Amino acid sequence: MRAIRALGAALLMLGLSAAPAAADTPTASPSGDSSAPTQAGTSFRTATEIEQGQRATANGSTGDYLYWSFPADAGQRPTVHATVKLPEQHTTQTWQVDVYDGLRRRQACQWGAQTRTVGAEAASVDLTCVLRTVRAWSEPWANDPLPGTYYIRLTVVSLSNADLGLPVDAAVQVDSKDIGGAAAVDGSLAEPLVPGIAVTAKKDDDDRGAVLSDIEPDGGWASGWWSDRWVWTGIGAILAALAGIGGYALTRGSGRPSHVPPGV
């Protein structure tokens, strides 16, 4: 019985330690970050790199394509927020934010106002795109989001000729929730989908050659090797051991066959 109580206590401690890992924890957003970018790119190749949690700003004109890029790792569910401050005098406009992965495949939004139309009285427009959870591995034919660089494209998709070229102020921010073991898969990419990483010559461990993107998640790329699913697998193994010990204790009996007479 002491062994059973000890195993039960160990199980309780393991479950308590796993609980925070399983929670959906938003990425912290730094405040007053002087290093946040203040301009946007005009294409995929010139996209401005931002970290998750940074609020990047840019000045532009209606009709421009504004591009940013950010890293997303396995198990994360990124949410892209975009705000456009419109000029004082304007007509009805429709703005849209799109997100593309490292292979420049457009990623669908699970929910959020990805496209929004505002009238002449609106001072700004807010857009949101909640992506699907990034997977550590996927079939080659699938369009699942994978670890690597993601691109944000912000632009107006409908406006009158009179509004073309009017100045606007844009701001974007990306936050993520860690989904944990619920999104874990058996497999991982050899390398994240970062532009240029597949064409570099790897000379040694310290020199990977030129990579077109320098951004990566805090702590590096996890590549899906760890998730809280390992913790719950361990809990399941302990429960199975407890069940086996309890079953043996209940069924072992006195150790003597019931048909053997006493004294034999």
Side-chain angles (χ1 to χ4, degrees), residues 149-215:
T149 300
Y150 283 77
Y151 297 93
I152 304 170
R153 185 178 73 182
L154 177 65
T155 189
V156 61
V157 295
S158 177
L159 80 166
S160 65
N161 291 334
D163 288 345
L164 190 63
L166 292 178
V168 293
D169 297 326
V172 296
Q173 181 170 326
V174 181
D175 298 300
S176 285
K177 285 187 176 182
D178 187 3
I179 304 303
V185 296
D186 294 327
S188 63
L189 296 180
E191 297 287 354
L193 299 180
V194 175
I197 200 169
V199 297
T200 57
K202 187 174 181 180
K203 299 177 182 179
D204 52 53
D205 293 339
D206 298 326
D207 186 2
R208 299 178 57 86
V211 178
L212 300 182
S213 178
D214 294 329
I215 54 175

Side-chain angles (χ1 to χ4, degrees), residues 82-172:
T83 301
V84 181
K85 184 179 180 181
L86 303 173
E88 293 183 1
Q89 301 294 329
H90 65 86
T91 59
T92 300
Q93 298 181 3
T94 302
W95 286 81
Q96 180 170 302
V97 61
D98 296 299
V99 182
Y100 299 82
D101 66 9
L103 299 178
R104 300 186 185 180
R105 303 175 302 180
R106 184 174 180 272
Q107 292 294 319
C109 302
Q110 286 192 106
W111 59 80
Q114 180 184 8
T115 304
R116 178 167 285 177
T117 300
V118 293
E121 72 285 353
S124 64
V125 55
D126 295 322
L127 305 169
T128 304
C129 176
V130 181
L131 296 175
R132 294 173 294 167
T133 303
V134 178
R135 294 165 55 91
W137 179 87
S138 178
E139 294 80 2
W141 49 262
N143 194 37
D144 296 323
L146 296 169
T149 300
Y150 283 77
Y151 297 93
I152 304 170
R153 185 178 73 182
L154 177 65
T155 189
V156 61
V157 295
S158 177
L159 80 166
S160 65
N161 291 334
D163 288 345
L164 190 63
L166 292 178
V168 293
D169 297 326
V172 296

